[in-house]
Amino acid sequence: MIGLVAAAVAVVLCLGFGCVGLVVYYMRLGNDSGSASSAGTETPPGSEPGSGSRTASARCAGSTTPAHAGTKVVGLPDFDGAPQTGIATMRLSTNLGRISIAMDRARTPCTVASFQHLAERKFFDGSRCHRLVTEGIFVLQCGDPSGTGMGGPDYKFADENLTGARYERGVVAMANTGEPGTNGSQFFIIFQESSSGLQPLYTPFGTVGTGLDVVDRVAAGGHDNSIAAGGGVPKVGITIETVSVN
């Protein structure tokens, strides 16, 4: 879950599970589960042994994680067979409209492989974007089937594309636990330029092609201040109905 705590001098951002340093606020953008993935223990199609489960991947430092209350079991993606060329498009169908995200397989092959794996298993279907932050950083965070900020898959994988990373309007990046190599399923969409103050700790894997107006609509509605660390649940609710990657 994204966490954002206002403090006097520094901003630490923890996304998905983690933290980042900024100046002005103390922020946390990440899964509040710490290093744990989280969200029910249901087993979706394709996660049975021999279908979705794999051994640890050296290439993407992919490895399974212990199941917790928020874990959705899907098994490891085929990281070792992930294509490394071409542009993949992730299409999010939401209750407010469609959002398309262009992803460069050459820069983030592991991240793209993960999203394709999760999309094929309908991991995101019916999940709401659980957090909006409009102070200090400007992001909408999604990707947790539990809707609590504590959820994720039963695996983690390495960071990518951090050298020279820029977090500008329209950029989509992975949330993490605040530790390297703890990417799962949660991601955030930046809707305002000042979020470029983020440090290069979160894998930037895509750029919104269409649908940024959908995010703007959610951002304009504000949040309910329900998250003690900062931000809250969007007042204009947005739910991911289906996801495809091709």
Side-chain angles (χ1 to χ4, degrees):
M1 171 195 271
I2 292 178
L4 195 178
V5 179
V9 179
V11 168
V12 174
L13 210 92
C14 302
L15 304 167
F17 296 98
C19 306
V20 115
L22 260 192
V23 180
V24 178
Y25 298 100
Y26 176 78
M27 303 172 125
R28 183 165 185 263
L29 267 174
N31 275 10
D32 281 351
S33 58
S35 59
S37 9
S38 4
T41 54
E42 65 178 282
T43 303
S47 61
E48 299 84 359
S51 171
S53 39
R54 300 176 185 277
T55 56
S57 161
R59 174 174 159 189
C60 295
S63 61
T64 56
T65 56
H68 294 269
T71 303
K72 193 168 184 179
V73 179
V74 291
L76 275 174
D78 181 13
F79 285 128
D80 293 330
Q84 298 185 65
T85 59
I87 301 298
T89 301
M90 179 161 65
R91 296 178 174 84
L92 311 178
S93 176
T94 81
N95 62 312
L96 300 180
R98 295 181 179 274
I99 300 171
S100 68
I101 300 169
M103 305 181 292
D104 188 341
R105 293 184 187 275
R107 292 179 178 275
T108 57
C110 301
T111 307
V112 176
S114 176
F115 276 111
Q116 187 155 20
H117 178 78
L118 295 173
E120 289 171 352
R121 286 155 180 75
K122 303 184 184 303
F123 181 91
F124 299 108
D125 292 10
S127 64
R128 65 187 177 93
C129 293
H130 59 276
R131 190 167 192 185
L132 176 68
V133 183
T134 58
E135 303 85 21
I137 58 168
F138 301 87
V139 301
L140 175 67
Q141 189 162 345
C142 313
D144 172 11
S146 76
T148 64
M150 301 287 286
D154 56 326
Y155 65 85
K156 61 183 179 179
F157 62 96
D159 301 314
E160 299 178 292
N161 197 32
L162 295 183
T163 301
R166 297 176 65 85
Y167 303 98
E168 302 172 333
R169 174 174 162 81
V171 168
V172 190
M174 294 300 295
N176 59 48
T177 67
E179 297 293 331
T182 54
N183 300 296
S185 62
Q186 292 193 37
F187 61 94
F188 58 98
I189 301 172
I190 298 170
F191 58 84
Q192 190 164 313
E193 290 297 340
S194 55
S195 287
S196 61
L198 290 173
Q199 297 301 305
L201 301 176
Y202 309 103
T203 294
F205 66 86
T207 304
V208 175
T210 59
L212 197 51
D213 59 313
V214 173
V215 181
D216 288 338
R217 177 182 170 189
V218 175
H223 54 73
D224 65 1
N225 291 298
S226 62
I227 299 174
V233 177
K235 290 183 178 180
V236 176
I238 177 169
T239 299
I240 297 174
E241 297 172 340
T242 62
V243 175
S244 65
V245 175
N246 52 45

